[in-house]
Amino acid sequence: MSTSGAIPIRDAGPEDWPAMWAFMREIVVAGETFSWDTKTSEEDARAGWFRHGQESGFTVVATGPSGALLGTAECGPNHGGPGAHVATASFMVDPRHTGRGAGRALGEYVLDRARAEGFRAMQFNAVAESNVRAVRLWQSLGMQILTTIPEGFRHPADGYVGLHIMYQRLTPA
Amino acid sequence: MSTSGAIPIRDAGPEDWPAMWAFMREIVVAGETFSWDTKTSEEDARAGWFRHGQESGFTVVATGPSGALLGTAECGPNHGGPGAHVATASFMVDPRHTGRGAGRALGEYVLDRARAEGFRAMQFNAVAESNVRAVRLWQSLGMQILTTIPEGFRHPADGYVGLHIMYQRLTPA
Protein backbone atom coordinates (compact mmCIF):
# COMPACT_ATOMS: atom_id res chain seq x y z
CA MET A 1 0.00 0.00 0.00
CA SER A 2 1.26 3.44 -0.93
CA THR A 3 -0.39 6.81 -0.75
CA SER A 4 -0.02 9.50 -3.35
CA GLY A 5 -1.60 12.54 -1.77
CA ALA A 6 -4.79 11.35 -0.13
CA ILE A 7 -5.52 8.49 -2.50
CA PRO A 8 -4.22 5.04 -1.54
CA ILE A 9 -2.82 2.85 -4.31
CA ARG A 10 -2.35 -0.89 -3.89
CA ASP A 11 -1.64 -3.95 -6.00
CA ALA A 12 -4.76 -5.31 -7.65
CA GLY A 13 -5.75 -8.88 -6.90
CA PRO A 14 -8.16 -11.31 -8.55
CA GLU A 15 -10.83 -10.29 -6.04
CA ASP A 16 -10.74 -6.73 -7.42
CA TRP A 17 -11.50 -7.72 -10.98
CA PRO A 18 -15.35 -7.57 -10.94
CA ALA A 19 -15.30 -4.00 -9.59
CA MET A 20 -12.53 -3.04 -12.03
CA TRP A 21 -14.28 -4.48 -15.05
CA ALA A 22 -17.52 -2.68 -14.11
CA PHE A 23 -15.99 0.67 -15.07
CA MET A 24 -13.29 -0.57 -17.44
CA ARG A 25 -15.96 -2.06 -19.66
CA GLU A 26 -17.70 1.30 -19.94
CA ILE A 27 -14.48 2.99 -20.97
CA VAL A 28 -13.62 0.32 -23.55
CA VAL A 29 -17.11 0.29 -25.06
CA ALA A 30 -17.20 4.11 -25.29
CA GLY A 31 -14.13 4.02 -27.54
CA GLU A 32 -13.34 7.65 -26.75
CA THR A 33 -9.97 7.27 -25.09
CA PHE A 34 -8.82 3.67 -25.33
CA SER A 35 -7.45 1.96 -28.41
CA TRP A 36 -8.86 -1.44 -27.59
CA ASP A 37 -11.50 -3.26 -29.59
CA THR A 38 -14.78 -1.88 -28.21
CA LYS A 39 -16.08 -5.47 -28.12
CA THR A 40 -13.12 -6.75 -26.09
CA SER A 41 -14.28 -9.71 -24.03
CA GLU A 42 -13.96 -9.69 -20.25
CA GLU A 43 -11.52 -12.58 -20.52
CA ASP A 44 -9.24 -10.75 -22.95
CA ALA A 45 -9.46 -7.53 -20.95
CA ARG A 46 -8.46 -9.32 -17.78
CA ALA A 47 -5.57 -11.13 -19.49
CA GLY A 48 -4.37 -7.85 -21.00
CA TRP A 49 -4.64 -5.82 -17.83
CA PHE A 50 -2.87 -8.45 -15.73
CA ARG A 51 -0.37 -9.44 -18.43
CA HIS A 52 2.66 -8.29 -16.49
CA GLY A 53 1.76 -10.16 -13.35
CA GLN A 54 4.24 -12.99 -13.81
CA GLU A 55 7.15 -10.99 -15.19
CA SER A 56 8.25 -7.46 -14.39
CA GLY A 57 5.51 -4.88 -14.04
CA PHE A 58 2.39 -4.51 -11.94
CA THR A 59 -1.33 -3.82 -11.87
CA VAL A 60 -2.71 -1.48 -9.22
CA VAL A 61 -5.95 0.14 -8.07
CA ALA A 62 -6.68 3.51 -6.49
CA THR A 63 -9.22 3.39 -3.68
CA GLY A 64 -11.59 5.90 -2.17
CA PRO A 65 -12.46 6.54 1.48
CA SER A 66 -15.00 3.71 1.60
CA GLY A 67 -12.65 1.32 -0.16
CA ALA A 68 -14.44 1.74 -3.49
CA LEU A 69 -12.20 1.52 -6.54
CA LEU A 70 -11.61 4.87 -8.23
CA GLY A 71 -9.34 3.70 -11.01
CA THR A 72 -6.64 1.29 -12.11
CA ALA A 73 -3.31 1.21 -13.93
CA GLU A 74 -1.02 -1.42 -15.35
CA CYS A 75 2.66 -1.07 -16.17
CA GLY A 76 5.33 -3.29 -17.68
CA PRO A 77 8.00 -3.46 -20.40
CA ASN A 78 6.97 -1.77 -23.66
CA HIS A 79 8.99 -4.23 -25.74
CA GLY A 80 10.81 -7.45 -24.95
CA GLY A 81 14.47 -8.35 -24.64
CA PRO A 82 16.67 -5.50 -25.90
CA GLY A 83 13.75 -3.08 -25.48
CA ALA A 84 12.52 -4.24 -22.08
CA HIS A 85 14.20 -1.45 -20.11
CA VAL A 86 11.57 1.06 -21.29
CA ALA A 87 8.22 0.76 -19.55
CA THR A 88 4.74 1.48 -20.77
CA ALA A 89 1.55 1.95 -18.79
CA SER A 90 -2.19 2.29 -19.19
CA PHE A 91 -4.74 3.97 -16.96
CA MET A 92 -8.49 3.87 -16.47
CA VAL A 93 -10.44 6.00 -14.00
CA ASP A 94 -14.06 5.23 -13.21
CA PRO A 95 -16.11 7.89 -15.06
CA ARG A 96 -18.15 8.33 -11.85
CA HIS A 97 -14.98 9.28 -9.97
CA THR A 98 -13.15 11.64 -12.32
CA GLY A 99 -11.89 14.97 -11.00
CA ARG A 100 -10.93 13.52 -7.59
CA GLY A 101 -7.26 13.14 -8.37
CA ALA A 102 -7.24 9.38 -8.95
CA GLY A 103 -5.61 9.74 -12.37
CA ARG A 104 -2.88 11.95 -11.01
CA ALA A 105 -2.30 9.67 -8.02
CA LEU A 106 -2.07 6.65 -10.30
CA GLY A 107 0.28 8.47 -12.68
CA GLU A 108 2.65 9.57 -9.92
CA TYR A 109 2.62 6.11 -8.38
CA VAL A 110 3.29 4.32 -11.67
CA LEU A 111 6.20 6.60 -12.61
CA ASP A 112 7.77 6.23 -9.17
CA ARG A 113 7.37 2.49 -9.07
CA ALA A 114 8.61 1.99 -12.64
CA ARG A 115 11.72 3.99 -11.70
CA ALA A 116 12.14 1.93 -8.53
CA GLU A 117 11.81 -1.29 -10.52
CA GLY A 118 14.71 -0.18 -12.71
CA PHE A 119 12.95 0.95 -15.86
CA ARG A 120 15.03 3.64 -17.58
CA ALA A 121 12.15 5.45 -19.24
CA MET A 122 8.37 5.51 -19.59
CA GLN A 123 6.63 5.50 -22.96
CA PHE A 124 2.92 5.88 -23.59
CA ASN A 125 2.08 4.50 -27.04
CA ALA A 126 -1.40 5.80 -27.62
CA VAL A 127 -2.78 8.97 -26.04
CA ALA A 128 -5.59 10.40 -28.16
CA GLU A 129 -5.01 14.12 -28.66
CA SER A 130 -8.74 14.65 -28.11
CA ASN A 131 -8.25 13.37 -24.55
CA VAL A 132 -7.06 16.82 -23.54
CA ARG A 133 -7.31 16.27 -19.79
CA ALA A 134 -5.14 13.20 -19.95
CA VAL A 135 -2.56 14.88 -22.20
CA ARG A 136 -2.29 17.83 -19.78
CA LEU A 137 -2.12 15.55 -16.78
CA TRP A 138 0.70 13.46 -18.24
CA GLN A 139 2.56 16.61 -19.27
CA SER A 140 2.25 17.95 -15.72
CA LEU A 141 3.89 14.71 -14.55
CA GLY A 142 6.84 15.23 -16.89
CA MET A 143 5.73 13.22 -19.91
CA GLN A 144 6.54 14.85 -23.25
CA ILE A 145 4.89 14.38 -26.63
CA LEU A 146 7.62 12.76 -28.76
CA THR A 147 5.47 12.54 -31.85
CA THR A 148 1.87 12.31 -32.95
CA ILE A 149 0.63 9.59 -35.31
CA PRO A 150 -1.49 11.54 -37.83
CA GLU A 151 -5.15 10.52 -37.58
CA GLY A 152 -4.05 7.57 -35.48
CA PHE A 153 -7.24 7.47 -33.40
CA ARG A 154 -10.83 7.46 -34.62
CA HIS A 155 -12.93 9.22 -32.03
CA PRO A 156 -16.65 8.35 -32.21
CA ALA A 157 -17.65 12.05 -32.25
CA ASP A 158 -14.55 13.95 -33.36
CA GLY A 159 -13.49 11.60 -36.15
CA TYR A 160 -9.83 10.99 -36.87
CA VAL A 161 -7.53 12.71 -34.38
CA GLY A 162 -3.81 12.42 -33.70
CA LEU A 163 -2.44 9.76 -31.40
CA HIS A 164 0.39 10.99 -29.19
CA ILE A 165 3.41 8.97 -28.23
CA MET A 166 4.59 10.36 -24.89
CA TYR A 167 7.89 9.76 -23.14
CA GLN A 168 9.87 10.53 -20.02
CA ARG A 169 13.34 9.52 -18.97
CA LEU A 170 13.28 7.98 -15.48
CA THR A 171 17.01 7.71 -14.74
CA PRO A 172 19.69 10.42 -14.72
CA ALA A 173 21.46 10.85 -18.07
CA MET B 1 0.88 -15.99 -54.43
CA SER B 2 2.36 -12.67 -55.46
CA THR B 3 5.70 -11.75 -56.89
CA SER B 4 7.62 -8.67 -55.95
CA GLY B 5 10.43 -8.53 -58.43
CA ALA B 6 11.76 -12.06 -58.73
CA ILE B 7 10.91 -13.19 -55.21
CA PRO B 8 7.57 -14.91 -54.66
CA ILE B 9 5.62 -14.08 -51.52
CA ARG B 10 2.80 -16.27 -50.23
CA ASP B 11 0.70 -16.72 -47.11
CA ALA B 12 2.48 -18.76 -44.47
CA GLY B 13 0.82 -21.95 -43.28
CA PRO B 14 1.35 -24.20 -40.28
CA GLU B 15 3.56 -26.45 -42.43
CA ASP B 16 6.02 -23.56 -42.91
CA TRP B 17 6.60 -22.98 -39.22
CA PRO B 18 9.55 -25.36 -38.61
CA ALA B 19 11.56 -23.78 -41.44
CA MET B 20 10.54 -20.28 -40.30
CA TRP B 21 11.48 -20.87 -36.69
CA ALA B 22 14.88 -22.27 -37.75
CA PHE B 23 16.06 -18.80 -38.75
CA MET B 24 13.67 -16.73 -36.63
CA ARG B 25 15.12 -18.31 -33.51
CA GLU B 26 18.63 -17.24 -34.51
CA ILE B 27 17.48 -13.66 -35.01
CA VAL B 28 15.59 -13.56 -31.70
CA VAL B 29 18.47 -15.10 -29.74
CA ALA B 30 21.02 -12.70 -31.29
CA GLY B 31 19.08 -9.73 -29.87
CA GLU B 32 20.65 -7.38 -32.39
CA THR B 33 17.59 -6.24 -34.28
CA PHE B 34 14.48 -7.62 -32.60
CA SER B 35 12.93 -6.36 -29.38
CA TRP B 36 11.68 -9.74 -28.25
CA ASP B 37 12.85 -11.59 -25.18
CA THR B 38 15.92 -13.48 -26.42
CA LYS B 39 14.59 -16.55 -24.59
CA THR B 40 11.19 -16.40 -26.29
CA SER B 41 9.77 -19.92 -26.48
CA GLU B 42 8.88 -21.46 -29.82
CA GLU B 43 5.25 -21.55 -28.69
CA ASP B 44 5.16 -17.84 -27.86
CA ALA B 45 7.02 -16.94 -31.06
CA ARG B 46 4.53 -18.86 -33.15
CA ALA B 47 1.54 -17.34 -31.36
CA GLY B 48 3.03 -13.87 -31.81
CA TRP B 49 3.93 -14.26 -35.45
CA PHE B 50 0.53 -15.72 -36.37
CA ARG B 51 -1.45 -13.47 -34.01
CA HIS B 52 -3.36 -11.73 -36.79
CA GLY B 53 -4.47 -14.92 -38.47
CA GLN B 54 -8.03 -14.86 -37.19
CA GLU B 55 -8.66 -11.14 -37.47
CA SER B 56 -7.38 -8.65 -40.02
CA GLY B 57 -3.77 -8.98 -41.00
CA PHE B 58 -1.59 -11.72 -42.43
CA THR B 59 1.64 -13.71 -42.14
CA VAL B 60 3.68 -14.37 -45.26
CA VAL B 61 6.92 -15.98 -46.41
CA ALA B 62 9.32 -15.12 -49.23
CA THR B 63 10.63 -18.11 -51.12
CA GLY B 64 13.75 -18.78 -53.16
CA PRO B 65 14.14 -20.66 -56.48
CA SER B 66 14.21 -24.06 -54.77
CA GLY B 67 11.25 -23.22 -52.57
CA ALA B 68 13.47 -22.53 -49.58
CA LEU B 69 12.19 -19.83 -47.23
CA LEU B 70 14.22 -16.61 -47.43
CA GLY B 71 12.27 -14.59 -44.90
CA THR B 72 8.92 -13.84 -43.34
CA ALA B 73 6.71 -10.93 -42.34
CA GLU B 74 3.57 -10.41 -40.29
CA CYS B 75 1.18 -7.48 -40.42
CA GLY B 76 -1.95 -6.44 -38.57
CA PRO B 77 -3.56 -3.58 -36.63
CA ASN B 78 -1.12 -1.68 -34.41
CA HIS B 79 -3.80 -0.94 -31.83
CA GLY B 80 -7.36 -2.13 -31.35
CA GLY B 81 -10.74 -0.49 -31.87
CA PRO B 82 -10.34 3.25 -32.51
CA GLY B 83 -6.68 2.68 -33.46
CA ALA B 84 -7.12 -0.40 -35.64
CA HIS B 85 -6.97 1.47 -38.96
CA VAL B 86 -3.19 1.89 -38.62
CA ALA B 87 -1.18 -1.24 -39.38
CA THR B 88 2.10 -2.43 -38.01
CA ALA B 89 4.42 -5.11 -39.37
CA SER B 90 7.51 -7.11 -38.49
CA PHE B 91 10.08 -8.73 -40.73
CA MET B 92 12.73 -11.40 -40.40
CA VAL B 93 15.09 -12.49 -43.19
CA ASP B 94 17.18 -15.63 -42.85
CA PRO B 95 20.74 -14.44 -42.11
CA ARG B 96 21.97 -16.96 -44.72
CA HIS B 97 19.87 -15.23 -47.38
CA THR B 98 20.43 -11.53 -46.79
CA GLY B 99 21.36 -9.30 -49.70
CA ARG B 100 19.11 -11.14 -52.14
CA GLY B 101 16.24 -8.69 -51.97
CA ALA B 102 13.95 -10.72 -49.73
CA GLY B 103 13.58 -7.87 -47.23
CA ARG B 104 12.68 -5.40 -49.94
CA ALA B 105 10.26 -7.83 -51.58
CA LEU B 106 8.56 -8.47 -48.23
CA GLY B 107 8.41 -4.75 -47.45
CA GLU B 108 6.84 -3.85 -50.80
CA TYR B 109 4.37 -6.72 -50.51
CA VAL B 110 3.32 -5.85 -46.96
CA LEU B 111 2.79 -2.16 -47.73
CA ASP B 112 0.75 -3.00 -50.84
CA ARG B 113 -1.37 -5.60 -49.09
CA ALA B 114 -1.95 -3.45 -46.01
CA ARG B 115 -3.19 -0.69 -48.32
CA ALA B 116 -5.39 -3.16 -50.19
CA GLU B 117 -6.84 -4.41 -46.90
CA GLY B 118 -7.90 -0.88 -46.05
CA PHE B 119 -5.28 0.17 -43.51
CA ARG B 120 -4.82 3.93 -43.68
CA ALA B 121 -1.20 3.99 -42.54
CA MET B 122 1.74 1.78 -41.58
CA GLN B 123 3.64 2.26 -38.32
CA PHE B 124 6.79 0.41 -37.29
CA ASN B 125 7.16 0.64 -33.50
CA ALA B 126 10.70 -0.51 -32.96
CA VAL B 127 13.47 -0.18 -35.56
CA ALA B 128 16.88 -0.10 -33.87
CA GLU B 129 18.90 2.78 -35.29
CA SER B 130 21.94 0.47 -35.31
CA ASN B 131 20.10 -1.65 -37.90
CA VAL B 132 21.23 0.75 -40.60
CA ARG B 133 20.38 -1.48 -43.53
CA ALA B 134 16.81 -1.92 -42.37
CA VAL B 135 16.36 1.80 -41.68
CA ARG B 136 17.62 2.66 -45.18
CA LEU B 137 15.47 -0.04 -46.76
CA TRP B 138 12.30 1.17 -45.05
CA GLN B 139 13.09 4.76 -45.96
CA SER B 140 13.54 3.73 -49.59
CA LEU B 141 10.02 2.25 -49.41
CA GLY B 142 8.58 5.53 -48.16
CA MET B 143 8.68 4.99 -44.41
CA GLN B 144 9.72 8.07 -42.42
CA ILE B 145 11.27 8.31 -38.97
CA LEU B 146 8.58 10.04 -36.89
CA THR B 147 10.63 9.97 -33.70
CA THR B 148 13.38 8.04 -31.97
CA ILE B 149 13.01 6.67 -28.45
CA PRO B 150 16.30 7.70 -26.79
CA GLU B 151 18.35 4.62 -25.84
CA GLY B 152 15.25 2.55 -26.50
CA PHE B 153 17.20 -0.52 -27.67
CA ARG B 154 20.11 -2.24 -25.95
CA HIS B 155 22.34 -3.71 -28.63
CA PRO B 156 24.60 -6.53 -27.39
CA ALA B 157 27.71 -4.87 -28.89
CA ASP B 158 26.78 -1.20 -29.38
CA GLY B 159 25.01 -0.69 -26.07
CA TYR B 160 22.03 1.62 -25.84
CA VAL B 161 20.93 2.97 -29.21
CA GLY B 162 17.86 4.85 -30.34
CA LEU B 163 14.70 3.03 -31.35
CA HIS B 164 12.97 4.55 -34.36
CA ILE B 165 9.23 4.78 -34.80
CA MET B 166 8.63 4.83 -38.56
CA TYR B 167 5.45 5.74 -40.40
CA GLN B 168 3.89 6.03 -43.82
CA ARG B 169 0.45 7.13 -44.90
CA LEU B 170 -1.13 4.53 -47.20
CA THR B 171 -4.23 6.38 -48.39
CA PRO B 172 -4.50 9.73 -50.18
CA ALA B 173 -4.89 12.69 -47.81
Side-chain angles (χ1 to χ4, degrees), chain A residues 41-55:
Chain A
S41 70
E42 180 172 354
E43 183 186 2
D44 286 349
R46 183 175 179 152
W49 207 252
F50 282 97
R51 64 185 160 153
H52 305 300
Q54 291 144 330
E55 307 167 18

Side-chain angles (χ1 to χ4, degrees), chain B:
Chain B
M1 175 84 73
S2 163
T3 58
S4 179
I7 298 183
I9 313 279
R10 61 170 170 78
D11 282 343
E15 71 282 4
D16 294 311
W17 177 253
M20 292 162 68
W21 179 238
F23 66 84
M24 290 174 70
R25 183 177 176 282
E26 277 183 49
I27 294 167
V28 171
V29 168
E32 294 173 351
T33 56
F34 240 76
S35 52
W36 281 16
D37 184 341
T38 55
K39 293 170 184 152
T40 297
S41 70
E42 180 173 353
E43 183 186 2
D44 286 350
R46 183 176 178 153
W49 207 252
F50 282 98
R51 63 184 160 153
H52 304 303
Q54 290 144 329
E55 308 168 17
S56 63
F58 50 89
T59 302
V60 295
V61 288
T63 57
S66 64
L69 301 192
L70 305 180
T72 179
E74 61 92 20
C75 173
N78 192 40
H79 295 294
H85 55 284
V86 177
T88 190
S90 298
F91 301 83
M92 294 201 205
V93 171
D94 188 334
R96 280 168 295 276
H97 294 300
T98 54
R100 295 172 61 171
R104 174 172 297 274
L106 285 164
E108 290 174 349
Y109 177 92
V110 165
L111 289 165
D112 286 347
R113 182 158 165 186
R115 187 184 291 111
E117 290 199 359
F119 287 108
R120 294 169 60 94
M122 176 65 73
Q123 180 180 338
F124 296 165
N125 296 303
V127 183
E129 68 180 351
S130 50
N131 194 0
V132 176
R133 281 176 61 174
V135 174
R136 285 192 193 139
L137 173 58
W138 303 146
Q139 286 176 321
S140 78
L141 296 181
M143 299 293 294
Q144 295 184 307
I145 297 170
L146 271 194
T147 192
T148 304
I149 308 300
E151 302 185 354
F153 190 88
R154 187 173 191 175
H155 188 280
D158 300 341
Y160 290 107
V161 298
L163 195 58
H164 296 316
I165 292 175
M166 303 186 75
Y167 172 89
Q168 178 173 187
R169 188 179 190 102
L170 296 178
T171 53

